[in-house]
Amino acid sequence: VALILTFNLETWDLVKDTDKPYYAGGPSILPDTLPGNTPDFPNYSWREYGQRVGLWRMIDLFDELGVKASCTTNAVTFERRKAMTDAALERGWELLTHNWEQGELLTNFAGDPAKEREIVLRTLEQFLAEQGCTFYCDIMNDDQPYLLRTPNGPIVSVPYSNEINDFTFITRKNYTTDQYRDALIEELDVLYAEGEKTARIMNVGLHPHVSGRAHRIRALREFIEHAKSLPGVWWATREEIAEYYLQNHEEHIPGQLG
């Protein structure tokens, strides 16, 4: 089983030029979301805790245990929260494009491909297979990679997970620290057993303002210690998985390219 521990290094605007509800960085923890042109300090600063405190607690843990993260990163994080991206680069961790700014979703431009392309190019200065990219993470329908055919050649689907995700477990399902840890361990154990027959991917989505809280960091510690006890777990990056799969996809699903 290939294990990917994903840090979401997200950065978002405090306000937007709109009177519609605005989730500063994502779904709110407090109800009655304010309009975008009104600063929502409670929800904004709840997420900012991850940038100021939670991320560094998680980095200390990963340094102690000798494991690496794969970091999905908004482009503006490099400008506004440079210490976060510098910390990842100093450790040689993988950095992935994660849109321009967390409050500017590509789904807002679903009917405007030109605007969507402009945002992607502004973020990446490349556009998927057309510009030489090799993998894509938004398709979350499998425990294995597979090829996506595009007009400009194949790219590899390396799935992220909204299910194996601290925000889902803790903020949406209200799991305790022990329940969170146990769910991660059980997911890994099942995939690890299945890996005897066919390889699996386990992606763990981590948000510093969620998993980086003091009373939750133990769940990550105990999960990682368990994962390290299993022989043969591949602590992979998405790039490594994509490179391997592009060379070996015929052994997995023959004829994917038609």
Side-chain angles (χ1 to χ4, degrees):
V1 61
L3 179 59
I4 307 171
L5 304 176
T6 301
F7 285 8
N8 292 287
L9 304 185
E10 297 165 344
T11 302
W12 50 92
D13 297 335
L14 175 61
V15 294
K16 294 285 189 184
D17 185 18
T18 180
D19 57 4
K20 296 180 180 179
Y22 167 56
Y23 305 101
S28 60
I29 193 170
L30 298 177
D32 302 320
T33 305
L34 297 175
N37 53 21
T38 302
D40 186 347
F41 289 108
N43 281 316
Y44 180 92
S45 58
W46 167 59
R47 287 178 171 270
E48 190 181 32
Y49 177 90
Q51 298 172 326
R52 296 171 62 92
V53 183
L55 175 65
W56 309 104
R57 183 174 286 129
M58 292 164 65
I59 286 176
D60 285 347
L61 175 66
F62 276 49
D63 285 350
E64 177 190 341
L65 297 180
V67 296
K68 60 188 177 184
S70 176
C71 303
T72 64
T73 311
N74 298 136
V76 295
T77 303
F78 287 89
E79 300 175 351
R80 303 182 196 174
R81 302 282 179 171
K82 189 172 181 294
M84 295 166 60
T85 53
D86 282 352
L89 291 169
E90 288 165 3
R91 289 163 174 78
W93 290 355
E94 181 177 56
L95 289 170
L96 313 174
T97 56
H98 187 37
N99 212 353
W100 180 258
E101 179 264 332
Q102 186 64 13
E104 185 179 50
L105 303 179
L106 292 181
T107 51
N108 296 340
F109 311 102
D112 188 349
K115 179 62 175 177
E116 183 177 359
R117 175 181 288 266
E118 185 272 326
I119 292 170
V120 172
L121 290 174
R122 174 156 49 99
T123 304
L124 183 61
E125 298 184 351
Q126 295 179 336
F127 189 76
L128 299 180
E130 181 178 339
Q131 298 294 329
C133 294
T134 59
F135 60 89
Y136 181 62
C137 306
D138 282 3
I139 308 298
M140 294 177 272
N141 60 5
D142 213 310
D143 291 323
Q144 297 181 316
Y146 60 90
L147 293 183
L148 298 170
R149 283 180 282 182
T150 82
N152 299 285
I155 56 175
V156 181
S157 173
V158 182
Y160 183 72
S161 176
N162 279 336
E163 178 77 15
I164 308 304
N165 189 296
D166 59 359
F167 201 91
T168 298
F169 285 134
I170 292 166
T171 307
R172 294 191 174 108
K173 295 183 177 181
N174 296 316
Y175 275 23
T176 66
T177 298
D178 285 353
Q179 288 174 317
Y180 174 35
R181 174 206 61 205
D182 292 348
L184 294 178
I185 289 175
E186 184 163 359
E187 179 81 6
L188 177 58
D189 285 350
V190 172
L191 295 176
Y192 185 79
E194 293 175 350
E196 292 289 333
K197 297 179 180 178
T198 182
R200 299 296 193 194
I201 292 174
M202 179 177 175
N203 177 90
V204 184
L206 302 171
H207 299 79
H209 63 292
V210 179
S211 286
R213 299 295 310 199
H215 69 283
R216 297 190 185 118
I217 199 71
R218 174 175 60 84
L220 288 186
R221 173 184 296 279
E222 294 175 2
F223 168 68
I224 292 170
E225 289 174 343
H226 176 73
K228 291 182 69 175
S229 75
L230 300 176
V233 170
W234 182 20
W235 300 79
T237 66
R238 289 171 170 84
E239 184 175 13
E240 289 169 341
I241 291 172
E243 289 177 354
Y244 177 86
Y245 196 78
L246 285 170
Q247 297 173 11
N248 297 279
H249 61 85
E250 279 293 324
E251 298 176 16
H252 179 220
I253 305 175
Q256 289 186 74
L257 298 180

